[in-house]
Amino acid sequence: MMRNATALHSTACYGLHYIAFGLAIGMLGPAIPLFMELSAKEEGQVGLMVTGRAVGSLLGSVTAPLLVSRSNNVSSSFSHHNILFFSQFLFVCAMWAIGLCTSLSISSLLPYVFLLFFSGCASVSNSSMLNSYLGWLWQGRDLSFYMQSVHFCFGIGAVFGPLMVSWGVYMGDDASSRLSYSYLLLCVTQIILVPWVLLVPSPSSRPSTLQANPVELASLLKSESESESETELGEVAADIELDESEIDLGGGDGELQVKSREGNADSGKDLEQTFGDKAFVLAMGAFLCAYVGLEIGYASWVTAYAMAIGVDMSLSILLASIFWISLSAGRGLAVPLALVLSPLRLLIINISLCMVTLMCMMLIPPSSTLAILVAVGLGTLRDHHE
């Protein structure tokens, strides 16, 4: 019970981190027109800011496993939650620096591109570490439930991110002051949401999250056997995906052994990747590139696009929030649909409807009504792919 309570507290803190992450992601798109006004640059040039954040995100996803492994089984000063807090602290520093640059009316895009690159690296590494820690705290259906719940918190943050820009527009008189107010509010919310993770113990890695060789787990099982009966040991084996028949408590010396699986070697060869498997993986990789690109690309540019076709600035900013609200609703709608439709059929239907929505945006004369309908349609349909 105590372990479950600690796991719930940690999961709640992870949800706060995802809200903070969503706030920053949802905020950049509506802020792009303000950056265009501040820098006197066009869309293509200001787009380097989005690219800088994307490249930083790629780097962050690569560095996260290194941070997780380096912080495992080391001193408490370098614990998992300390690393998590430190990465988010660097992210807050980057956001504060952006707010400082805008308050100084710095028109060059170079510092903003660099800071967004840095913030993308810190935030995505933070997100990747959170996913690893969730896998250590929960298993089976519990993991699926809490993983979905924590990721839902991202949508909550992304919905309120554009509203921060709306508040900045209301408070400021020009692009510089509006951006300063927006990023000041972002930093304040980050400071409120992030530090709670330091109040709960860091999770420890569990063998059940690893596809380890049973022989490598013999020493772990031996330590478990010293305090547990053979029946309880069977439960431990189940956690690490072993059969009880593969555990041998040994002879009189109490030596624990894990029986070899050499007999399954031949069957293992049958699982080798074929050309079709590799082609499938490549196709899924290409699909995910387009999938994530649609989400981030639309959310980043819908405000600038709406203003370009004559939509009021306030509504243009709110279109990003409408998109993220629809995305969160789509996540919930996908659950019952998955019970009656196969994953492939659900995927085909949603991709087809997404294409129809995009075609409508390109062929129908632009208007405020169309912009709202497209935001709702793409947001709702896009999240079914998950």
Side-chain angles (χ1 to χ4, degrees):
M1 184 66 68
M2 182 64 69
R3 180 185 179 277
N4 286 340
T6 302
L8 286 172
H9 293 161
S10 297
T11 304
C13 292
Y14 299 164
L16 294 178
H17 272 251
Y18 262 98
I19 291 176
F21 182 36
L23 286 170
I25 294 294
M27 183 175 168
L28 179 58
I32 281 182
L34 297 177
F35 279 108
M36 292 171 56
E37 180 182 345
L38 177 64
S39 63
K41 301 291 193 302
E42 297 183 353
E43 290 92 339
Q45 296 169 301
V46 177
L48 291 175
M49 297 172 59
V50 181
T51 302
R53 187 183 65 182
V55 175
S57 299
L58 288 174
L59 181 61
S61 64
V62 173
T63 58
L66 300 177
L67 291 174
V68 171
S69 61
R70 290 282 295 178
S71 60
N72 191 20
N73 297 325
V74 293
S75 63
S76 58
S77 61
F78 204 61
S79 66
H80 298 303
H81 282 176
N82 284 352
I83 296 300
L84 197 65
F85 172 79
F86 180 70
S87 65
Q88 197 69 8
F89 174 76
L90 294 179
F91 173 78
V92 173
C93 289
M95 295 297 98
W96 176 83
I98 290 177
L100 178 62
C101 290
T102 56
S103 66
L104 297 176
S105 300
I106 297 178
S107 60
S108 174
L109 291 178
L110 184 60
Y112 301 114
V113 172
F114 172 77
L115 291 171
L116 285 171
F117 167 84
F118 188 76
S119 67
C121 181
S123 61
V124 172
S125 64
N126 188 297
S127 174
S128 300
M129 287 188 288
L130 287 176
N131 291 332
S132 298
Y133 300 160
L134 282 171
W136 296 349
L137 291 173
W138 307 103
Q139 287 78 42
R141 293 183 177 179
D142 288 339
L143 174 60
S144 177
F145 173 77
Y146 287 109
M147 183 72 75
Q148 290 290 342
S149 300
V150 167
H151 280 251
F152 181 78
C153 292
F154 169 84
I156 296 176
V159 168
F160 285 96
L163 300 182
M164 289 186 173
V165 180
S166 295
W167 180 80
V169 171
Y170 174 79
M171 295 294 294
D173 299 324
D174 54 14
S176 175
S177 59
R178 290 170 175 175
L179 286 170
S180 299
Y181 280 120
S182 300
Y183 277 94
L184 173 63
L185 181 59
L186 176 63
C187 289
V188 171
T189 55
Q190 298 282 323
I191 293 172
I192 294 174
L193 295 173
V194 169
W196 297 102
V197 74
L198 295 176
L199 302 180
V200 293
S202 296
S204 58
S205 59
R206 289 179 57 88
S208 56
T209 63
L210 306 173
Q211 296 297 325
N213 188 298
V215 176
E216 296 173 352
L217 299 172
S219 60
L220 173 72
L221 287 173
K222 182 178 179 180
S223 63
E224 295 282 355
S225 67
E226 293 175 355
S227 58
E228 300 185 15
S229 66
E230 186 170 354
T231 301
E232 293 170 330
L233 192 59
E235 298 175 358
V236 176
D239 282 342
I240 58 174
E241 301 178 355
L242 294 179
D243 296 328
E244 290 187 45
S245 60
E246 296 179 284
I247 304 174
D248 185 4
L249 291 177
D253 58 356
E255 185 69 20
L256 179 91
Q257 297 176 352
V258 179
K259 297 179 181 179
S260 174
R261 285 181 176 174
E262 292 179 358
N264 297 329
D266 293 337
S267 61
K269 294 180 181 179
D270 296 335
L271 299 178
E272 292 180 355
Q273 286 187 339
T274 62
F275 175 78
D277 296 328
K278 295 179 180 178
F280 175 78
V281 171
L282 291 175
M284 287 302 298
F287 172 76
L288 287 174
C289 286
Y291 165 77
V292 176
L294 173 62
E295 172 190 334
I296 300 301
Y298 184 85
S300 298
W301 290 104
V302 61
T303 300
Y305 167 78
M307 292 182 63
I309 63 175
V311 178
D312 178 73
M313 185 175 187
S314 298
L315 178 57
S316 298
I317 293 174
L318 290 179
L319 283 175
S321 286
I322 293 172
F323 172 76
W324 291 114
I325 291 173
S326 302
L327 187 146
S328 299
R331 182 185 293 274
L333 184 61
V335 175
L337 288 177
L339 298 177
V340 296
L341 295 174
S342 66
L344 180 60
R345 181 169 297 181
L346 184 62
L347 188 63
I348 292 174
I349 291 174
N350 280 280
I351 291 177
S352 300
L353 292 177
C354 278
M355 294 298 295
V356 171
T357 305
L358 291 172
M359 291 297 294
C360 291
M361 185 174 67
M362 292 186 290
L363 298 178
I364 298 178
S367 65
S368 300
T369 303
L370 178 64
I372 294 174
L373 292 176
V374 169
V376 172
L378 286 181
T380 304
L381 295 170
R382 173 258 165 216
D383 206 65
H384 290 181
H385 302 334
E386 294 186 359

